[in-house]
Amino acid sequence: MPKFETVRPVRHTPEQMFALVADVEKYPAFLPLCQKLVVRERRESDGKTLLVADMTVAYKMVRETFTSQVLLKPTEQQIDVKYVDGPFRYLDNRWTFEQRKEGGGPQIESGCDVRFYIDYEFKSRTLGILMGSMFDYAFRRFAQAFETRADEIYGSSTPA
């Protein structure tokens, strides 16, 4: 039952970070362990988008594919990921993007706080032993990977 949660201040807007995380097809280009990602289905309703996606993760000789539902909620600046099928007993993942406030005053446009939460468990104890520590390491690096990608796309000159 590994669980990881972090809040990272970034120099980009909530809208920019939401768009970056919502662009799941680009994950293999920069995300640790992500070898392939295919969106099987995309549905829009009430300003929200539901994606059904297959993500293939690989480390050394181990390669696993799992299916999840990704609910994009732009008005709430939140992305919820729910596990559907694959090597996990369960997987719960949530991203939120909150405009940073300076000293309780008016909102500033110089950045946001990115909240990343994940809770998961592998079905197989053996796979959990093989991949568990690597997944833990990768999840701890996810937030940094997205921040680095945002700097590449949006620039890194805006003060945090």
Side-chain angles (χ1 to χ4, degrees):
M1 292 116 347
K3 187 184 293 189
F4 177 71
E5 187 168 8
T6 187
V7 178
R8 290 183 66 96
V10 298
R11 61 180 54 94
H12 307 288
T13 68
E15 294 79 14
Q16 288 173 323
M17 294 306 295
F18 178 90
L20 185 78
V21 176
D23 191 7
V24 298
E25 289 96 342
K26 298 274 183 3
Y27 285 10
F30 69 94
L31 201 58
L33 299 183
C34 182
Q35 185 177 64
K36 182 179 177 183
L37 196 140
V38 176
V39 174
R40 287 200 271 157
E41 185 179 339
R42 183 182 302 262
R43 287 182 278 166
E44 311 244 350
S45 178
D46 298 327
K48 298 176 184 173
T49 303
L50 179 68
L51 308 174
V52 177
D54 294 330
M55 178 186 259
T56 301
V57 294
Y59 177 68
K60 295 187 179 184
M61 298 300 289
V62 179
R63 179 183 160 138
E64 291 287 338
T65 299
F66 64 95
T67 303
S68 59
Q69 290 182 340
V70 182
L71 182 60
L72 308 175
K73 302 186 277 187
T75 57
E76 299 170 41
Q77 297 299 315
Q78 184 171 318
I79 298 172
D80 294 325
V81 180
K82 297 295 178 191
Y83 178 68
V84 176
D85 189 37
F88 297 99
R89 187 174 319 280
Y90 68 87
L91 182 142
D92 184 26
N93 176 217
R94 183 176 320 105
W95 292 86
T96 57
F97 312 92
E98 299 169 354
Q99 183 70 50
R100 201 169 326 122
K101 295 182 181 178
E102 195 168 331
Q107 291 186 344
I108 57 172
E109 294 301 319
S110 65
C112 73
D113 290 327
V114 176
R115 294 180 184 279
F116 174 78
Y117 166 84
I118 191 159
D119 182 15
Y120 68 97
E121 182 178 355
F122 287 101
K123 287 179 187 174
S124 159
R125 182 170 161 79
T126 304
L127 187 60
I129 291 168
L130 280 172
M131 297 280 293
S133 63
M134 193 59 212
F135 261 59
D136 186 54
Y137 173 75
F139 290 142
R140 292 179 187 279
R141 293 198 46 218
F142 271 19
Q144 178 61 50
F146 280 97
E147 186 175 351
T148 300
R149 179 74 170 177
D151 287 348
E152 291 169 2
I153 292 172
Y154 304 121
S156 59
S157 61
T158 308

